[in-house]
Each structure stands twice: as structure tokens, then as C-alpha cells.
Amino acid sequence: MLKPFDNTELDTFFKRLNAPLHRMPQQERTELHQEVRQHLDGLTAAYEELGLSPDEALESALRAFGDPCKIGRRMYWEWRRGQWRGLSGEMKAVLSMIGLYASSATILLTALVWSYAVPPLRGAMPESALLLTVLAGIPALAGGVLGRLFPKHAVVGAFYATVALTLMPLLFALAVAPFGGEALGGVWLWAGSWLSCACGAAYLSSRGRGEQGRFRLSDLRLRQRQ
Amino acid sequence: MYNGSMSSDNELRKGSTPTLILAVLADGPRHGYAIAREIERRSADALKMGEGALYPALRALEREGLVVSQWETMPSGPARRTYTLTDTGQAKLTQQIETWRKFSEAIGLVIGGTPNAQTV
């Protein structure tokens, strides 16, 4: 049954194609739209040359092009992968370290809470275990894993991620210190122990991969991606 | 029970799409529609894939540095995005052709070999 030719089908097609792409920059979406439209025009013209009517040709072209939702989703994921790949090695290490801090804290603190919940273990677990876990365990675990994942940028990643996480609390503690804040000493201890444990674990772990050379302070300089 | 003749065809096509694109671009820069037509022509219409699948594959190849794209002004009509094979892409294509050749030889030996003689 012939359907009257209209652009509703095309509009619907492009709406479904664009739906997963809302986070892509407008220019990239426009360029993709233009590319796909040109492809569909070529297909439609080819089907018309075979003797199909314009609306049959359009329908066949849309069918031959494929499911716009699936294509849109794949285009979005390819764009996302490009964004991650576009980051420098150091930036990937910094972002990964922040994630590793969260994971390490979750794992170790959960294990600690469970151990306190089990009566036989509670007595054997000294109170200082919590302090040791928070001050040394979390950064050491996170830094150690980072060293295996990003051996070339492990120390840089650990350094900047720790600075990023501890900077705001430090500034806050400095701000309230004149008003009798005893927190300043605690925050300094936290920042210092995290910095040393994370960077130390990252360095040792990356040395284990055999790819990290002798560490120099100049390595902490963030470089442009080449 | 194996019933995936259609799904296995699709899987083979999906996996081969990047190689097919690189092979077509080895002959010179082309835009997306021309790539699809050339694949169809060279395969004597045997390979008809969902043509929209070309574009994510082209983006992936571009991300890996195997192809580069640029918008070119056409003598007639609007600008079109043309894809060109890079040196890295050429090297990758050569490697994939060799891999494919060895793979198809091995498959041919298995499926074309004589049945084992029955032991007495």
C-alpha cells in the first residue's frame, strides 16, 4: 500500500538518532546529522533509479540505513571513548586515583565495620585499627593499585589526586584555626599521611611493573598531551 | 543447539567492518556513502550491512588514528566529510589481511579436510 510522501518519517528517524546524543557538543551532532542526511539522500536516489516511487525509496533507504536508536547509542559511546582517550596519561591517573580512593575507603571501612560487628574479633581489634586504616591503609591500597594500572604516571596521579581531595578541608581548617579550631592539626596529619602513603605506595608498586624510572620532583609537573 | 546462521553472519560482518572500511580507503579517500557502495560492489552484493553501522566504525577508526576525516567542498552540492587512510591505518590493514588469510586457510583445512579413518 503506497503511503503519501512526507517528512514525518525523516523527522522521526532523526529524533530517534539524536536522542542518545544529547551530551555531544552541538557542532558534532550537526555534522553527524549532515553526514547521515547525505547518505540517506544517496540511498533514496539509488532506490528511485531502480524504479521505486519517492516514498517507497525513502522507506527503503531508512530501512537499509538501520535502527537509528542503536546507531545513535553507538555513536555516543564512540564519542565518550574519544573523550577519555583525549585525556593525558597524567589526568587519567589523577581521575583514576580519586576513584581508587573511594573504592579503597569503601572496602577497608566496610571490612572494619564488619570486624567490629563480630564479637570475637571486636576484642582482638585495637581501637587504633580505625586510625591506621584511615591514615595509612586507604592511601596505600589506592596508591598500590594505581601503580599497577598507570606505572608511568602513578606518583603524579597520586600526588595531584591527594592534593585535590585534601585542599578544601585544609583551607577550611586554616580558616577556622583562629577561632580555636583544633582540627587544623588533624587535617595536616591526614593530608600529610595520605600524601606520603599514596605517593610511596604508587612509586613502589610502579617500580614493581619495571616501567617507572628514578623519580624526580620535576616529574610532578603536569605536561600537555603530546 | 546451534541455530545462529543469521546471528553468526551478523557477528562476522560486525567484526569485519573495520577491515572492510580500511581496505576500501586504501584505494583513496571516500565519504561514507561511497564506502558502503564500494563494499557492496566488491563483494558482488554479498555483503549488505546496516549502512548506519559504518559511522560508529569510522569514528572508532578515527579515534585509533587509522583514518582521518575532513569536510571537503564539492564542485556541486554541500560539503561532504571524506575519510582518508593514514600510514598507521595502512600498516594495520596489511596486518589484518595477513591475519585473515591465515585464519581462512586454517578454517579451510579443518572444514575441507578428509574425515579421520576409523581405527581398527
Side-chain angles (χ1 to χ4, degrees):
Chain A
M1 173 104 180
L2 291 180
K3 284 189 286 184
F5 178 81
D6 59 25
N7 279 324
T8 310
E9 285 185 66
L10 263 180
D11 288 341
T12 308
F13 177 90
F14 279 108
K15 275 186 186 145
R16 292 177 68 198
L17 178 73
N18 287 330
L21 306 177
H22 56 278
R23 283 195 192 142
M24 272 173 71
Q26 180 62 45
Q27 190 187 345
E28 289 199 42
R29 274 187 281 150
T30 306
E31 287 180 354
L32 174 65
H33 188 122
Q34 189 177 342
E35 249 187 305
V36 170
R37 184 60 198 260
Q38 287 169 346
H39 195 121
L40 288 173
D41 287 345
L43 273 175
T44 309
Y47 280 117
E48 284 185 25
E49 275 179 28
L50 290 174
L52 271 64
S53 66
D55 51 337
E56 284 176 328
L58 175 63
E59 214 177 302
S60 299
L62 292 176
R63 203 178 314 120
F65 198 82
D67 183 349
C69 289
K70 272 190 196 166
I71 294 162
R73 272 199 299 272
R74 284 189 58 196
M75 288 299 300
Y76 175 69
W77 282 113
E78 287 302 334
W79 173 76
R80 279 282 298 266
R81 284 200 197 104
Q83 295 295 105
W84 173 255
R85 198 180 172 88
L87 295 173
S88 65
E90 289 97 343
M91 193 50 67
K92 285 182 196 172
V94 170
L95 292 174
S96 300
M97 184 64 176
I98 292 173
L100 284 168
Y101 266 134
S103 309
S104 304
T106 305
I107 292 167
L108 291 177
L109 292 176
T110 304
L112 213 59
V113 165
W114 275 107
S115 66
Y116 269 102
V118 176
L121 287 175
R122 197 182 303 152
M125 190 70 62
E127 298 292 331
S128 55
L130 177 64
L131 201 61
L132 200 64
T133 301
V134 170
L135 287 181
I138 292 171
L141 179 59
V145 173
L146 186 73
R148 307 304 282 183
L149 294 176
F150 294 94
K152 284 185 187 166
H153 308 292
V155 179
V156 174
F159 178 81
Y160 282 105
T162 310
V163 166
L165 287 174
T166 56
L167 188 63
M168 287 306 293
L170 263 174
L171 291 175
F172 179 75
L174 275 168
V176 302
F179 305 103
E182 288 87 12
L184 185 58
V187 175
W188 272 116
L189 177 65
W190 167 46
S193 69
W194 271 34
L195 208 53
S196 49
C197 288
C199 293
Y203 176 70
L204 290 172
S205 177
S206 62
R207 291 279 291 191
R209 283 286 299 268
E211 294 181 41
Q212 175 76 298
R214 194 178 174 87
F215 179 73
R216 293 178 294 269
L217 280 177
S218 59
D219 291 340
L220 289 176
R221 217 166 1 115
L222 285 174
R223 279 172 281 270
Q224 287 275 2
R225 186 169 195 271
Q226 288 166 16
Chain B
M1 171 87 179
Y2 178 70
N3 64 348
S5 60
M6 209 184 231
S7 62
S8 66
D9 279 355
N10 282 342
E11 289 302 318
L12 274 174
R13 280 198 199 109
K14 265 193 224 171
S16 319
T17 301
T19 307
L20 297 174
I21 293 173
L22 293 178
V24 164
L25 291 177
D27 283 349
R30 282 186 164 88
H31 51 75
Y33 179 73
I35 293 171
R37 296 286 70 75
E38 184 64 10
I39 289 173
E40 212 173 273
R41 186 191 71 79
R42 289 193 194 184
S43 68
D45 286 358
L47 293 175
K48 280 184 190 276
M49 59 188 80
E51 300 199 3
L54 278 175
Y55 291 97
L58 283 164
R59 291 294 181 277
L61 291 171
E62 212 173 348
R63 175 170 46 81
E64 290 166 22
L66 303 180
V67 305
V68 291
S69 71
Q70 60 185 48
W71 286 90
E72 285 186 354
T73 321
M74 295 286 135
S76 60
R80 295 200 84 141
R81 189 178 206 146
T82 312
Y83 297 87
T84 310
L85 194 65
T86 62
D87 292 340
T88 316
Q90 180 64 62
K92 181 79 174 173
L93 173 63
T94 308
Q95 181 196 14
Q96 285 184 341
I97 288 173
E98 182 58 23
T99 304
W100 185 256
R101 191 186 58 77
K102 285 182 182 165
F103 179 71
S104 63
E105 267 178 25
I107 295 284
L109 284 172
V110 172
I111 61 176
T114 55
N116 287 334
Q118 283 193 358
T119 54
V120 177

